[in-house]
Each structure stands twice: as structure tokens, then as C-alpha cells.
Amino acid sequence: MPCGLYSPFFLRLARVSLAENPVWTPLVTFLGLVTCSVPLLLKADLLKALSAFAKSRDIASTLWYYVEMAQVIPTAPSTSKFPQRGIHTDLEEVESRSEEYPVSRGFLELLNALVEVDVPLHLGAPNRTPGIDPYVKFVVESVLMKSHSRAYKKSSDKWQICELAVKFLHKLLMRYEPAVGDIQHRERDAPQQPGYSVLVAMLQDSPLLKMILYLIEESVRHFDEYVDFPERKACERTALSCLNIFNRCIQMQEIFLEMVRSEGSSLRVTSLGTLLLGVNQRTNRPDHMLKIAKFVSYGSEYMPDHAVEAASILAFVASIPSAQQQLLALFTEEPNDVIIRHGIVEILDDAFENEEQGRKVKLCLLKMLQQGVNLPHPSLVHFLLGFSIQKPLQKSQLQNPGVYGTPKNCLHSLLNILDENLKGLVDAAVVMEGYKLLHVILSHGTMSYPVLRFLKGNLRNFLVRHGEALPFSASPTMEQQNSTAHLLLCIAIDIRVSSLRGSTSQAQKLASVIFTSERTVDIADGEAGQRRDAGISNLLSRTFASITGMPFVSRPRVLALLDSVDVSQLAVPIPELELFDLGQLQSLLKECEMPSEDGGPSVVNVRHLQRRVERELSALEGTMALAQRQAIMQEFKIILKYSIEANGVKQQMWTRRCFIDSWRQLIETILLSTTNYSNDILVQIIQEVLRKCVQDSASQELNQPLCGLLVIAVTSLRVQAMKKQESELTDSLVAFLDERRTDLLSEIGMSPSALRVILKGIVEWILKTGPSAQRIRINLYTALIGCLRLSAVNPSRDSRGLGGGITAGLQAIGVETVLEYGDSFLSALFRDSASGHDVQRMLALSLLDTIISQAPIGPVASYAAKHGYIRHLLDILSGLDESLISLVCQELSVMAMKYLQLYSSIMSFFTRMAMTSRGSQLLLDCNLLGRLSEMNAFSHRPQAGTMDEYAFLSSPFHRFQEILFPAFSLCLAMLSGLGSEHRIIREQVLGFLLAHSETISSILRSGQTLNDLHHLEELSLLTNVISKATNIEVIHKGADGTNEIRDQIERLQTICLSLLPAYVPTDVAIDRVLRFSGVEDDPNSNIARHKATSMYLQVCLNLLNIVMNMTADGTRIYSRTVFTASFTMADFGAAFTGTRPQTTRSVALGVVVNIISAAAKRLKTTEVARDTLSRKLEVVESLPVDEINQFVSKMISEGSSISEKREAARQTLTKVVESQVVEITQCRFILEVSLVLLWKHMEAFVSTNDTMNASRLNISFDASFRFKEDITHYLDETFYKQVEEASKVSGTAGKPDDFNLLFIRRIRKIAQG
């Protein structure tokens, strides 16, 4: 049969017509002739004709059956006494003798054609074990393994046969998907899928693996001669198929090895990477990878397809950490180091004739470099990138090619690719992987610095030039967006590293590139049309010119980058199917999802999906199913199309998310690392973010990274304003949460309209997001709190007339703008405060706190009371009782602290409400104090313990104080909000104290033995509450009702009175407290000393106020005496030794005299110290270094510059002077109360003229007489002069305090008789 006869069979119609002709029956006839004794060339042509028939799927299935039945290759046992003959016999006896192999080539072509179309799993059943393993065995053992030992008349025949055999094995592997059933069937001697045996052989040190490696080695030997030879094309195709086999095995081996391990199979397989690193038996060297790597050097001009496959194998082996030393030793020995590195560099630099092939090989090499960057040093990738493999990475000196003999390396090629991209000459996908590789290198801890130094010095500031080219396109593709994202991250890394290393000029230069104007926007474009949308978007757009002072068409580069990304939600409509169930379809798609190699989203493996559906279709049985097969196939095509579109949407959304996240990270890095930006650009960024995110079509997934940027931007505005206002260094987080620093809006040049637009945008964004978007709301609440605090009023500035009207107006604008949204906003706010994530609840409460602090409480309080949110928060508070008890009594985890934080947030909100009379009344009506009285957490006061300053969690005692202190602050706020005359609030506060009387008594008794500042603060708060809550009305109401309440109140007052001798504000007593509390060891001892002193004075003042309340008896004001008529003072220092507290009658009036003397002395000395420090504060810039070091901590003193020390000293001096002002005020009040007490007791004791009066005052006539004699001895002129001098300090405008002088005159008059 002539060869041209079978050419028409390639036409599908001709194939089907001839194969189905009942007269000719060509398939049976041709196979019959093949099994007969006919000339070899005729057999070869017949087999080629059958391979043409096999190109049709329907014919291929039948042809497999005919081939098996004809026993072209003996596959089943025979009962004949004659030996079975077939193609195997022709190969061994005829073709080998003639040294020509046309039949073998024809049969291999037939097998390749059949495998390409269909491989029946049950072929040969039931006569033998089903499968095509006999055919695979024939190809491997009889053809491929013996190919190098046979003689050939034409040398090209060898490579043609090897090509067909290897291609057959590769096609089997391509059709194979690892399955657990194959491993299980092996144990039961059941059939496996085609390709299973090939994969197992390739993962073992088998003859097949050695043969494949031998073919690669032989082909490399021919190619290294660089001489053309007749069989070159066949040799190239054989080598390519061998490389394809390796790559396919690499793709499947991880899944297959995991299956073998999980099944506990006895099958022994090894990773292909380990086998490729094994010893070559022909050279006795582990050089298999060197042979494979040489294909990369052939790729740019001769074999680009080989280069792609070889690069993939090299990337896999180079990613094995344990293989680095072996690969380095192999690739760095001469002359391999030059050949391999030059070959890879040449591929990265050269332009391929076939652009698709060039793109593939470059992408593969770039991915290989990305994978190897983070491997331990030294590694193959470090060598290829030009880093030294003898020295540490950070000490590598990178130079341009040719400088000091530096060879061109992959880093040079990478930077050339990226530079060419600025001219638009490089494929977008290659550029994307290039920027990604640069980002991976710069992200490396030790590689980044030498590379950044090289980019800045040797390449004319590479990142600045590329930053100036942004954005690459107004409507970028996904590859361009990814490229831009990685470039932005590279710039962010350079800014951060430059800032940390003190190279501020580079950081400022990069920041200015990002924030400078890039282009002009045509307002007639579609973007302008989008800006005309209703709502906040329209308002934001119209106010740009008025806010920034620049035309709207001018767009900074940072905003132009944001313009290039669309934040709208993308979705693929679900197809309407009649035969497939949508629920099962979604489950199937979920099962077919696979993770992305580059860390992207999981996408549907369309190939796997197609095979699964085809398997299901092939198993369909019945007439009905067969009739609907065509309709099923049509819907199946729709499903595949839907899967592809869904994958595209996922990839696109992921790309946008990465771009936005990179843009966010860059801006945050600039704001946190540099100061080269204006407040105007921050305002524009905030407004642009709000404009995009409040659109109805905006994606919540893309909004999430943008909302975090708002927090940093608002914080930066506040920090800038505080620096201008107070000129002090302040940590950004502390500055953001510090609500005392207010009136900042005018400092940053921000107009009220800009603030209004931003507030409206944030509130609309909050209302647009659902309750499920908790992370977004957390950031939005934080940003809104910062914006409101930007507009708050500083009363101290208003009192000096510094623009109080303006700031009050700004505050009104801020709060009114938020409250314009009425019940909808308050509903969302209160709902988030009562449910949801704990952080969201705390921030919602904090936002309510901020709103109440800046606006009348009416709208918020009315809404909360009307809708029952206050009672709901009280229920939450009661529900936290058990959790709070466990915090104090048990060991806890970090997560358990959230209950304490939530409790603190609720109490802080209630305390803010209680600062107004209406808020206090609402809380009183809701029985807040009654709920607190019922909570048992306040009654579980643990023993005091020390806290490790390096411990993350505080001690149980300190945690209890964090529970107790907010309750005391709330009591004080309610007492202040409802006024001193409100009887019910006083009774409820006392009820709260008496409900936890054991805790209260324990705190008061511990006042005799102070351990640290926390005890002092605890006592200060408690005595303050007692002094404000106990008065004559409450005590005597208890007398009319039950004596128990009066007795308990008097008991508390008695304990407080016994504490008074321990808190005489002398220098000795205060120094003793400071020494016992460890303040002297505090790094900021200057501030800590004054804080402790202020608390000590406050305790003294509170105790005096309590004693003042005790002097009333309900009939005559201040008619009761509580001190004994003696000026002899007991040793109040004994209070610190833990002795038993004194009783009421054991406290002498001399304690008051000593308090007066000590307060007068401290008042005068503190005033002098304040004047001295105030003068130093004014001239702090000229103070000597030794004096500066006195006001800074040791850490700052040792490791900071002189300017930083002066700034720290200014802060310390400012705080110390403020503390001294507080101390002076406290001493003045102590002096006033003490003088009143002394006068009233002296008047009572001196007026005792008869026995009846003496008995009423619990004083004997003799004691009264002795008291009169001692007056002149203890109250001498020195005492009066000391008090009068102190009165001058406590007065105003240099005039003495008339109140003190009045009582001094009265006391002097009583003393003189």
C-alpha cells in the first residue's frame, strides 16, 4: 500500500465513513494483515493507517478492542502448543537482523494515537488482568530499554524510536491523576489507572529512570558539540519528552507520596529531587542536574521549549534546602559556573523569536529565583543573583557588570528587564514577576541593605525613577496592577529602611515622589461623571478645591494610583441549569478548588472538573440517560465556562486587593517614617478613600484595607497638630487616645467644611456596612473618634481668650454632623456596643463617650433610655460578674482579659454620662448602683502582691484594682452630677460601700501599711467617695430608721479618723511613703515622686473632709468634737509599723496643729520649687548637659542626642510644674479645712466653763483647764507667722488669702483669752 494512500484518513468524515463501512471493515482487515506474514513496510503502512483511524474517539475505543483481540502483542495466556507471535517477534527476529524498524515505529505511532484519544481501564477483561500494562511493558522493556544496544542502519532510527516511546510514556503520565484507589488496588492485584506504573518507576531508582537520564545525557553530549547531525530533530524531541516526563512527575509526586504515607503502603518510592541529585553511574559524579541545567543555556537561540522544561526542573530542585551545597559545588566549579550563569542571564536578556516561548522560560526562571531567595545562605539563587557565597549576605558588594571583574548576573538582568518596561518593551507578565522578585529580595532581612545601596548608588536611584513612572496605565491590566503593587511595596521598604538607618534624604525623596502631582484629570471624562453621583461622593468631589487650595484637576500621584483601581464588586451570574442541581454543583466546584501557587485565591481546577464530569457521564446507564446525553454535554459546557469566568473574577478581585493593600502599606509607611508631607494631602487621601468606599457598588473585601488607612491618616493629622501646638514628641498611639490634647483643628489648617465632609463620609460608611463587617466598623469607629477629638474644645485655652468661639464652633460642627443621622446612627452605635466582637463593643462605647463629652447629653441619653440600651448594658455588666471573679481568683489567659476591658469600657461610658445631672438621674433611675451592690466581684479583694514589671499580665491584686477603681470613679461622677444636696444618690453610694464593707474596711486598714502607689491611689479614691457621700443628713436618717446603717457609717468614719495621724504631710512622712512604694527606683522618678506626693496630699485632704462631716450633730453645725483636748500628738509614724489603729478619742487635736504646720511649710517650699523650675523651663534650650540629664531617664540620657534630651527634659519639666500647681492647690485646701477644725475645737474646749458642758463634750473640767494653759505654748508667734506666710502663697495677685487670715485672727483671739 503506498504511503500516500492513508493521508485522506486524517479527515474525520473519511475516517468515520470507512471505519463504519460493513463491506470493507478496514479495522479488522488491517489488523488481520498485521498479524500475517507480509512485508515489513506493508505492516508499517497498515499500522500508520490504523493510527490515522485512531484520531476519532469512537473509533479509538473500538480499535483498542480489536488490537487486544488480534493479540498484536501477546497479552493473554494461550492454550496453543505453538509459541505466540506478533510485533514483538518481528522486532526481535526480523527488524533487529535487518537493522531497520519500520513496524516498531508504526506500532508506537498507533499506541501514541490511541493514548492521545482514549485509554480503556478494563481492556483485556476477563481474559487477563485489565489495563494496558502489557503494552507499557513492551514499550519500556522491549523497545526503549534495548534501543541503545541494537544496531541501526540509519542513526536517526534510534532517536525516532526513542522519541515515540518516551512520548507514549509522557502521554500516559499526562492522563494520570493520583488516586488512593491505585495504591489499594496494587495490594489486591487489581487494575490501576494508565500511567500509575510509569509514575512509580520514575519515583524509584528503576531502569526506566536510568534510561531517561541516559537519553538526556546522550542528547547533551550531542548538543555540546555544536555540530549539526542528521538525527538532531528527533534527538531534540526525545530530550523534550524526557524533560516533560520529569516535570509531570514533579507535579504529581507530592500528592502521590502523601497518599502512600497515609495509606501505610509497602510501596517504596522516593522524591524525584533526591533521585536527580544521585550519582551518575556513567561518570561516578552527581551531575544529572548539570546535564538538565545545560538545556537552559541552549534555550535562547535553539531550544526555547527545552529551556522552559529544564528551568522548571531546576527550580524544583533548587528549592530543596538540603540540596544547596551540592548544587553550589556542581554549578560553581569551572567551567560550569560561567556556562550555567551566563546561560540563565542570556535567556533573561534576550528577545525570543517566539514571544510566548520566551515569556514562559523567563517566568519560570524568575519564579525559581523567587523561591530560592529565602533559603539559608549560601544557596544557588544567591550565587545566580551575584551575592558572595563565602561572606555573609549583608557584606556583599554589588557592582555593575565589568566593574572590578564583576560578571553579569541575574540581578543585573532583572533590573534591565524592569528598566526596559519603562519603555514598554517587555511582556507584562514578565514585568510582574520581575517586580515580585525585587520585592522578595528587598523583604529579605540581610539581602535588602546591599541591594538598596546598589539601587540608589549604581543605578541612578532606581526606585525613584520607577516611582516617577507610576501609574503605568490609567486602566491597568491585572499584570500591571500586580507590578505596581510590588513596586509600591519596594518603595515602602526603602523608605522604612532609610528612615531607620538615618538616611532621611532618601526617604523624603521617595515620599515626595509619591505625594507630588502626577497628571491632570480631564473633568469631562467618565470619572467626572462618576463624581456627580448623589450623596457623599458628590459632596466630597465639590469640596476638593476649597479644601486643598488647588484646582480639582490636579491629581497627586498617590491619588492617581488609587484612581486606577476599581473597588466595585465583581460577580459571575450563576447559570440556569435544568439537569444539574445547583447545590451539588457548588459542592463539586468546591471540591475541585486548588490553592494558587503564588499564594493567591483558591481557584477551580477546570481540568480536574472536566475529568470528574466525564467519568460521571461515562457511567450513565439507561435509555433516558443516553437520550439526554447531548443536553447534558451542553450544560456541561456552560458549567466549564462558568468555572473559567469565576476563576477570572477571583483572580481580578485578588489582584485589586493586593494593589489596594500595597497602596495602603506605602502610605502608612510614609506617614510613620517621614515628615515630608502636608496636611492637605492627608485630607485629600481621606476624602478620596471615603469617596470610593461609600459607593453602593463598593466591595466590602476591598474596603477592608482602606478603612485601616483612615485610622493612621487621622492619627497623623492629630500628631502634626500637637507638634505645632505644643512642640513635643509624642507617641502616635498615645497621642491618638489622649483626649486631653484638644483644639487641634486650627493647627493643621483644616477648614470646618473639610471636617464636615470627612465626618459625613465615615458615618455613611458605617451605616452602609452591615453588622457582620465588624473589622471595618472597628476601624471606622476609631477614625471617627479621632476626627471628633480633632474638633474638641480646650477650656484652658478658651479661658485665656485664645479663639474659644472658633473652637466651640468647630466642636459643634463635629458633633452636630454626626448626630444629623439621628436614630439610624445611634441605633447602629448602641447595637454594636451591646453585641458583636468585644473590640467593636469597646470602641462603640468609646465613641459614645466622646460624643457625650462634646455635645449635650440629651439626644444620646433619650435614645438610650427610650430603647432600653442602658438596662441592657446593665444586664451585660451583671453578666460579667462571674468572669470578673475568675479574673481575680484564678489563673487566667490573655484572652480572658477581654472581660476586664469590656467592663472598663462600660463603666467609662456610664461615668461620662454621670458627669451631667440628666445622665446621673437616668443611671439612678435604672438602679445602676444597686446593680453594682449586687456584684460579688467587689467583695473578692485578694492579698496585695508585687507585680513583675516585665510580666505581660498583671497580678490578681492589680486586676482587682482595675475592677474597683472604675466603680469609685462612677460614684464620684454621680455625686458630682447630682450635687451635694441630693440625698438619694448619697444613700445609694453608701449602700454600695456598705454592701462591700469587708473590702472597704480592708482598704482603710491597709492604709496604715502602704506598700506601693496602687494602695495609695486606692485609698485616695475611697476616702474621696466617703468624704462626699457621708454627711449629717444621711447619718441621722439612719438614726431615725435603723441603727445598723448609722453604726456602719460611724465605723468607717472612725477608721478614717484613726488614719489621719499617718497622713500629716511632713517631709519625713512623704519620703517614707515614697521609699516604701519604690518610687525612687522608677526611671521617671521626677514625675513619679510628684504623682505619689499629690495622692498622699489628696488622702490627707479627704480624711480632713471626713472629719469635718463628723463634727456635725444635726442640731448645731460643727458642734461635735472628734479630737481630744490635747496638743500632745501621738507617734503617727507608728501607723506604718502595722500597729492597731487608734480609736476616735485617742486622736489629739495636736494632729491638726501638725497638719497645719506641715501644709504651710510644704505650700511655701513647693511654690519656690515651682518658680525655679518654671524659669528653667523657659531657658531649657540653654541649660547645660549635666543639668539636662537630671530631668531625663537613664535610658534617654545614655542613648539620645542633645536635642532629644532637651525635648525630653522640656516634657518632664512641664509635667513636674503642672504637678506642683496641683500640690499647691491641695495644700491650700488642707490648710483651710485644718484651720476650721482647729478653730471649732478650740472654741468648744475653751468655752467649757462648767461640768455640764464638759460632760456634753466628753471632756473633763481639768482637761479643759490644762488645754487653755497649753494653747500659748503650742500656738506661738512662729505658728501664726508660718500660717500667714503660707496664706500669701495661697492667695492671688500677691495678696494673702483672707479666709485663712480670718480664722488665724479667731484662733489668736481664743488663745489670748
Side-chain angles (χ1 to χ4, degrees), residues 218-404:
E218 281 294 298
S219 61
V220 169
R221 183 177 63 82
H222 284 294
F223 297 146
D224 279 348
E225 295 175 356
Y226 291 96
V227 177
D228 196 14
F229 53 98
E231 61 273 18
R232 179 183 183 86
K233 293 298 181 181
C235 182
E236 289 179 1
R237 292 192 294 268
T238 302
L240 180 60
S241 295
C242 292
L243 295 174
N244 288 335
I245 288 176
F246 281 132
N247 268 317
R248 180 57 182 165
C249 292
I250 289 172
Q251 295 172 8
M252 295 187 293
Q253 71 166 5
E254 183 177 352
I255 300 175
F256 187 77
L257 292 175
E258 180 61 29
M259 289 180 180
V260 172
R261 286 190 292 266
S262 61
E263 290 296 318
S265 174
S266 60
L267 182 64
R268 303 180 68 88
V269 288
T270 308
S271 172
L272 188 58
T274 304
L275 296 173
L276 292 176
L277 293 171
V279 177
N280 186 349
Q281 294 181 357
R282 299 186 65 185
T283 61
N284 289 325
R285 296 179 58 215
D287 58 357
H288 293 308
M289 285 306 303
L290 180 62
K291 309 297 182 184
I292 295 175
K294 284 190 175 182
F295 282 99
V296 179
S297 62
Y298 304 149
S300 60
E301 296 182 6
Y302 306 107
M303 292 173 280
D305 291 333
H306 297 68
V308 173
E309 301 298 328
S312 299
I313 301 171
L314 183 61
F316 165 71
V317 179
S319 64
I320 303 175
S322 59
Q324 300 307 308
Q325 295 296 333
Q326 183 175 339
L327 290 175
L328 277 175
L330 185 63
F331 289 164
T332 56
E333 63 180 11
E334 297 182 356
N336 298 334
D337 57 340
V338 177
I339 295 174
I340 301 302
R341 182 168 57 191
H342 177 72
I344 295 176
V345 169
E346 190 178 36
I347 284 183
L348 292 175
D349 286 343
D350 289 356
F352 286 69
E353 293 183 2
N354 188 325
E355 294 182 358
E356 182 63 23
Q357 291 178 335
R359 186 178 71 89
K360 287 182 179 180
V361 67
K362 289 181 180 180
L363 289 177
C364 189
L365 290 175
L366 290 173
K367 289 180 180 179
M368 179 192 74
L369 296 174
Q370 293 169 16
Q371 295 172 0
V373 166
N374 293 313
L375 290 176
H377 179 70
S379 70
L380 175 63
V381 170
H382 297 156
F383 164 72
L384 295 176
L385 288 172
F387 288 88
S388 173
I389 58 176
Q390 287 83 24
K391 298 186 297 184
L393 287 173
Q394 61 269 26
K395 294 185 179 180
S396 298
Q397 297 292 329
L398 302 177
Q399 299 291 344
N400 286 325
V403 178
Y404 301 115

Side-chain angles (χ1 to χ4, degrees), residues 886-917:
S886 64
L887 284 174
V888 176
C889 301
Q890 302 175 6
E891 293 294 331
L892 76 160
S893 62
V894 178
M895 294 301 296
M897 292 295 290
K898 64 182 181 181
Y899 302 116
L900 181 58
Q901 300 299 327
L902 181 59
Y903 164 81
S904 300
S905 299
I906 296 175
M907 294 296 288
S908 176
F909 170 64
F910 285 155
T911 303
R912 180 69 71 178
M913 282 190 64
M915 290 180 180
T916 62
S917 58

